[in-house]
Each structure stands twice: as structure tokens, then as C-alpha cells.
Amino acid sequence: MKKLTKITSYVALVLVIFAIYQRLNQNSDLKEQINELERANDSLQAQVDSTHIKIDGLNVVAEGYKLQIEEDKVKLADLQAKADYYKRKYNEEHTRITELSGDDLVNEFTNAFD
């Protein structure tokens, strides 16, 4: 009976050692998976950072275009004012000339070359 108790103790000890070995082996697999996930996370973070840098660059370009648009709007407003001024002057002169009589028109034409 003592031999059976000793054998049972040895078997139990072997089972406990095997269970501990399994746990340690399982922990190393988990550590490897964690390391792989950390590497993947680092890679993704690098891609995100790269994308943010590209976005910042595009935002700078967009701001430059916005400034150019504002400058062009000012120039166009100036050109529109000039166009309106010349159109008004043309219409005034056209109206003045069309209202001239024949003699006045001849005098105006003659005086233009003096």
C-alpha cells in the first residue's frame, strides 16, 4: 500500500509539473502573439502618422489656394469696377453722339482732327 501511495504521489507530482510546463509554454505563445500585435500596432501607427503628415501638407496647399482665390476676387472686383466705368462712359458718349444733329456731327468730327 505504501508503494501505491508513493506511485500515486509521483504520478501527481509528474502531472503537476506537466501542468506547470503547459502553463509556461502557453504563456510564451501568448507573449509571442502580444509581440506580433505590438509590431502590427507600431506599423499601423507609422501609417497613421504618415497620413497625418500628408494631410497637413495638403491643408497648407489648400490654404495657399484659398489666399490666391481671395486675391483673385479682389482683382476681379477691381476689373469689374473698371468695366462698369468704361461701359458707363461709352454709353454716355454713344448717347451724346446719337443725339447730335448732322451739322453738329460734322463739326465734332472736324474738331477731332484739329
Side-chain angles (χ1 to χ4, degrees), residues 1-110:
M1 189 58 129
K2 270 188 166 187
K3 281 187 178 186
L4 185 60
T5 307
K6 268 188 170 179
I7 291 175
T8 307
S9 296
Y10 286 129
V11 169
L13 182 62
V14 168
L15 288 176
V16 168
I17 291 172
F18 182 73
I20 291 172
Y21 174 76
Q22 285 291 337
R23 282 286 186 182
L24 291 176
N25 195 23
Q26 202 174 35
N27 284 342
S28 70
D29 289 344
L30 291 176
K31 286 179 185 177
E32 182 59 33
Q33 286 178 346
I34 289 171
N35 288 338
E36 287 177 24
L37 290 173
E38 286 175 348
R39 284 191 296 273
N41 186 38
D42 291 343
S43 173
L44 291 173
Q45 186 61 44
Q47 287 178 350
V48 167
D49 292 343
S50 172
T51 302
H52 283 300
I53 290 170
K54 289 177 185 175
I55 289 171
D56 291 342
L58 290 173
N59 284 336
V60 168
V61 170
E63 286 300 317
Y65 285 144
K66 285 180 185 178
L67 291 174
Q68 186 66 43
I69 288 170
E70 291 303 317
E71 290 173 6
D72 289 347
K73 283 182 181 179
V74 170
K75 289 177 185 176
L76 285 173
D78 290 344
L79 289 174
Q80 183 63 46
K82 284 181 182 179
D84 291 342
Y85 171 78
Y86 289 125
K87 182 178 180 182
R88 185 176 50 81
K89 285 296 199 181
Y90 167 80
N91 287 336
E92 288 173 0
E93 191 66 19
H94 181 265
T95 302
R96 186 183 71 79
I97 291 172
T98 55
E99 291 176 352
L100 290 176
S101 66
D103 291 336
D104 291 336
L105 187 59
V106 169
N107 285 335
E108 188 75 28
F109 184 74
T110 305

